[in-house]
Amino acid sequence: LMCMGMARLVQTEEHVNQSYVDIFLNEFLLNRIGSNVMMSQYLCVHEGQGNKCIVDPQCNVTEICQQTARAVQQLCRKETGFEPTIQVECYSEDKNASFAFIPAALSYIVQEVLKNSAVATAKKVLREEEEELETTDSIIKVMVCADEQRVMIHIGDRAGGIPFHVGRHIWSWLYSTKTRIVNKKATELGGFGVGLPLSRLYANYLGGSINVVSLPNYGTHTYVFLPRLPEQLIEIVPERAALNEAWGKLQDPMVNSYYDDNMSDYGEL
């Protein structure tokens, strides 16, 4: 709802542009994530669930990826009629790459990335079948790798990739909001437009990062990096100075013109 509200604000207020919207929503939603983590921990302690902590000291990355893959496969079959093949492999000395992390956050991050790959793969396969083209490799591969300091989750597909002129805007809330408003058939599988940028916020909040490498006409590779050492799990909080700076830039007509001109050329992702 907040993203849709900001989209309408952009349409009605000429002084609000992409820079301000992205920084504002990043700060707002990062605070929401922090509040949600604290509330979840409070409820966990108050209700006496398990070990009374939302952080699992032995969070099994491979198992979570496998469970999430099965859920996405079922969801994709339900929504598109096609069930993609998702392979999960682990390369770590402890076999499962276990480390202290919040399972719910990890599951959400992997789920949103996998849903993007599943949707793109389903569209590609169904289009090839409709046009009676030779079907290419449609396997989505998930590789979990880890050393003593970090865990890396690689999710790769061969669904055609993202065009270069679009790829650098996949993290923008404004761009995603445009997609969501146009797409009135949003489902659990996609269409809301907040999955990828919100996944990155979750990763950043817990000291990690997400990088996306697109190979147009081939596929997309997403790399999720997460800290494995407890001392590296540091909460990232937003900086008010960044928001104030963005607000100050709204008074610069050159900045407004730049964003308006560049964002008007991009279609639906």
Side-chain angles (χ1 to χ4, degrees), residues 148-150 206-208 226-235:
E148 296 179 353
Q149 296 188 359
R150 291 197 296 177
L206 295 169
L226 301 170
R228 200 174 190 184
L229 300 178
E231 57 269 24
Q232 294 180 346
L233 292 172
I234 302 175
E235 178 187 26

Side-chain angles (χ1 to χ4, degrees), residues 150-221:
R150 291 197 296 177
V151 172
M152 189 275 287
I153 303 173
H154 166 255
I155 299 176
D157 62 59
R158 292 193 58 183
I162 306 170
F164 286 131
H165 72 281
V166 172
R168 61 194 181 97
H169 291 281
I170 60 176
W171 306 113
S172 172
W173 299 98
L174 184 60
Y175 182 87
S176 298
T177 302
K178 287 183 178 180
T179 303
R180 181 171 52 258
I181 290 177
V182 173
N183 184 4
K184 297 181 180 180
K185 297 181 180 180
T187 66
E188 291 182 77
L189 192 59
F192 293 97
V194 300
L196 201 54
L198 190 56
S199 294
R200 186 173 70 161
L201 278 187
Y202 267 104
N204 291 344
Y205 177 79
L206 295 169
S209 63
I210 298 181
N211 298 323
V212 176
V213 178
S214 174
L215 305 175
N217 296 313
Y218 180 82
T220 303
H221 296 269

